[in-house]
Amino acid sequence: MTTMTRMTRMTRIEEAGRGVRQVIGTVGGQNLILALAIVAVAALFGTIDPGYLALSNIRVIGDAVTIVGLLAVVQTVVIICGALDISVGSATGVASVVSAMTFMATGRDPLLGMGTALGAGLLLGLVNGVIIVYGRVNPVIATLATLSAYRGLAQLLSGGAAQGYVLGDDLFIFVSRGSVLAIPTMVWILVAVALAVHVLLKYTDIGRNLYAIGGNDTAARLAGIDINKYLIAVYALSGIVAALAGIILTARIGSGHPTSGSVALELKAITAAALGGCALKGGKGGVGGTLLAVVLLGALENGLTFHGISTFWQNVAQGALLVIAVVIQQRRSGERPVGLPT
């Protein structure tokens, strides 16, 4: 082999290496890992039972991840801002009840039912924001309190029982069972919300300010950013998206229910955001990674259910994934582990 040939091969290898690094830089190392994990999960369960990869089951996964996906996307915004919203699952339950009860009380008007639910979600989000900003309460404590309060509110409004029946209405049927271009309506709703949030975070001053607040709130305040206004707005957005998830939940179940389908949604949303690369201290994260994590969790949960694994073990797996995500973040940050010597 001549020297020229060796140099040519080394040049090609270097170019290939640069190409790989560019792809990783564009996609993101964490996103690439999540994508590979999705492929691995699909390959594993598909090998065990080819029915797992059937189009009908893929559609089931798509339907199942929609509600969690919506909450995870808006949780990403909250976490980037350096906060947390543990009440989103309960807010979803309130919106579900309100949408169905208003639908029945207004002569089966779906637009009034959905509009009232979105208004209720906005109000619940504003309450969270006001408590945190003006009550000067830690976001975790504040939303932990409203988690319980909103769940109780949903039960009070409904008497603890399912309310109404919406599957006789064309609009609710379209939301729960319709499709556009062979893709379920619910998935389109998730894509639309995720795309809007992505544009907000990446291409607007609002998004840059949210990252600044989460990265260093003192510097953001000195730069003239009204942190209180942004926090209240972020929680209002969280409430609206939680209400949208509640409307979809009502359409899927067929009635408004205070707890069914909304319990533990907040944990799933936080897990997806953390797995997707959101730093729980704020200032880092994105919608793309969150959506990949949502798909991974949905594929894993569906695969375990598909093969008859107990939901108890699914909960164990979900909790373990959250711990793993936080440990990885801690190691990458380079900070000294709490309670251990340097």
Side-chain angles (χ1 to χ4, degrees), residues 257-319:
H257 201 289
T259 56
S260 178
S262 62
V263 175
L265 285 177
E266 54 282 328
L267 178 59
K268 292 180 180 180
I270 293 170
T271 301
L275 278 176
C278 286
L280 295 181
K281 292 184 177 181
K284 182 182 178 183
V287 172
T290 296
L291 286 180
L292 285 171
V294 167
V295 173
L296 174 60
L297 291 173
L300 181 61
E301 183 176 342
N302 178 270
L304 294 174
T305 302
F306 197 84
H307 293 93
I309 305 300
S310 169
T311 54
F312 301 146
W313 282 110
Q314 294 178 31
N315 292 336
V316 171
Q318 182 176 293

Side-chain angles (χ1 to χ4, degrees), residues 147-171:
L147 162 75
S148 177
Y150 294 165
R151 184 164 297 165
L153 177 61
Q155 292 170 334
L156 285 171
L157 289 173
S158 63
Q163 296 292 317
Y165 180 75
V166 302
L167 290 185
D169 177 78
D170 291 340
L171 184 55

Side-chain angles (χ1 to χ4, degrees), residues 167-185:
L167 290 185
D169 177 78
D170 291 340
L171 184 55
F172 275 106
I173 291 174
F174 178 69
V175 169
S176 63
R177 302 177 184 178
S179 62
V180 178
L181 300 176
I183 298 176
T185 306

Side-chain angles (χ1 to χ4, degrees), residues 132-150:
I132 291 166
V133 169
Y134 295 106
R136 297 187 178 182
V137 181
N138 180 282
V140 175
I141 302 301
T143 56
L144 183 62
T146 54
L147 162 75
S148 177
Y150 294 165

